[in-house]
Amino acid sequence: SAANVSTVDSANAGLDQERGSFYWDNGRLATAVADGQASTSTIDGAVARILTEMFRFDLFDDPPTGTIRSPASTPADRALALKVAERGVVLLKNTAGILPLSSDVAGSIAVIGPDGTTDPVTAGGGSSHVTASSVISPLKGIVTRAGARATITSYSGTDPARAADAAARAQVAIVFASYREREKHDLRNISLPGTENQMIESVAAANPDTIVVLNTGGPVLM
């Protein structure tokens, strides 16, 4: 864990393994055991928990195949990624049953915000970053799904006034907000950055049929 800041205390508190903070690497944990600051039973317990999960997922009986250069974007991989993304979506509220959208209530749709249009957040920074083989923005997906049944417009910025203008010109507005995360950089608060809150408020005021999509790594103030 990159959040680890101790050798002995974290081992005795139940940390099983760590990567990135180097409080256990370079012989530090081994020295702590040799000095009697951490017991071998503590290490045995951590190893047992790790091995238990490895056996649980058949990493010994059915080890992964391939190499670092093996393709990671097979049809099966993409299908699994789609399933994970779909199961990660949480519907907080569906006022008046606006979702799912249909052509009779959404003849025109405005897609607003960089995360929904030109700059979708698809991965965190640091070791969690993944370079996707392809990225389909929400805007592109909506255009493809709607086809000729709806007129799709977009605004890729976060200026509240321009966002409101785009929202007012459509039957339904979908406004996207997000924030970027990376390891070693704690969030200063759980508010959306910049003018995104004001953008959402202005869009909702301009269009009573507004859908808000939050693409975040955790809860945010709303």
Side-chain angles (χ1 to χ4, degrees), residues 3-4 8 13 38 50 69 87 108 112 120 136 145 156 162 167-168 174 190 195 197 201 207 213 217 222:
N4 183 31
V8 176
I50 294 170
R69 297 184 181 278
R87 294 183 66 179
S108 59
I112 299 167
I136 299 175
R145 183 64 179 268
S156 61
R162 295 185 64 183
I174 309 178
I190 58 171
T195 59
N197 265 321
E201 291 173 353
N207 191 321
V213 180
M222 294 185 289

Side-chain angles (χ1 to χ4, degrees), residues 40-103:
T40 54
S41 63
T42 295
I43 305 303
D44 289 344
V47 172
R49 288 188 292 270
I50 294 170
L51 292 179
T52 296
E53 292 304 304
M54 293 179 72
F55 277 111
R56 177 187 174 196
F57 288 98
D58 291 330
L59 295 183
F60 293 104
D61 298 332
D62 184 21
T65 59
T67 68
I68 193 68
R69 297 184 181 278
S70 298
S73 186
T74 65
D77 293 323
R78 292 194 293 273
L80 177 60
L82 177 61
K83 183 178 181 180
V84 170
E86 290 172 343
R87 294 183 66 179
V89 175
V90 177
L91 179 61
L92 296 178
K93 185 164 58 174
N94 191 18
T95 302
I98 192 173
L99 294 172
L101 291 175
S102 59
S103 57

Side-chain angles (χ1 to χ4, degrees), residues 18-200:
E18 70 107 45
R19 291 290 185 271
S21 61
F22 307 110
Y23 282 91
W24 282 13
D25 294 341
N26 302 317
R28 291 187 179 186
L29 183 59
T31 298
V33 174
D35 291 344
Q37 298 180 71
S39 69
T40 54
S41 63
T42 295
I43 305 303
D44 289 344
V47 172
R49 288 188 292 270
I50 294 170
L51 292 179
T52 296
E53 292 304 304
M54 293 179 72
F55 277 111
R56 177 187 174 196
F57 288 98
D58 291 330
L59 295 183
F60 293 104
D61 298 332
D62 184 21
T65 59
T67 68
I68 193 68
R69 297 184 181 278
S70 298
S73 186
T74 65
D77 293 323
R78 292 194 293 273
L80 177 60
L82 177 61
K83 183 178 181 180
V84 170
E86 290 172 343
R87 294 183 66 179
V89 175
V90 177
L91 179 61
L92 296 178
K93 185 164 58 174
N94 191 18
T95 302
I98 192 173
L99 294 172
L101 291 175
S102 59
S103 57
D104 58 333
V105 298
S108 59
I109 302 171
V111 182
I112 299 167
D115 189 71
T117 55
T118 58
D119 191 23
V121 176
T122 60
S127 60
S128 63
H129 180 73
V130 174
T131 301
S133 58
S134 64
V135 175
I136 299 175
S137 69
L139 173 61
K140 184 176 180 180
I142 291 169
V143 168
T144 301
R145 183 64 179 268
R149 292 172 294 177
T151 300
I152 312 299
T153 57
S154 65
Y155 167 59
S156 61
T158 59
D159 178 76
R162 295 185 64 183
D165 181 64
R169 296 173 184 270
Q171 285 181 274
V172 173
I174 309 178
V175 56
F176 289 77
S178 64
Y179 60 71
R180 297 184 182 275
E181 294 180 276
R182 62 169 296 120
E183 59 183 340
K184 298 184 180 180
H185 290 273
D186 291 340
L187 296 174
R188 295 183 177 181
N189 53 59
I190 58 171
S191 296
L192 291 169
T195 59
E196 289 193 320
N197 265 321
Q198 296 93 315
M199 173 184 68
I200 293 172

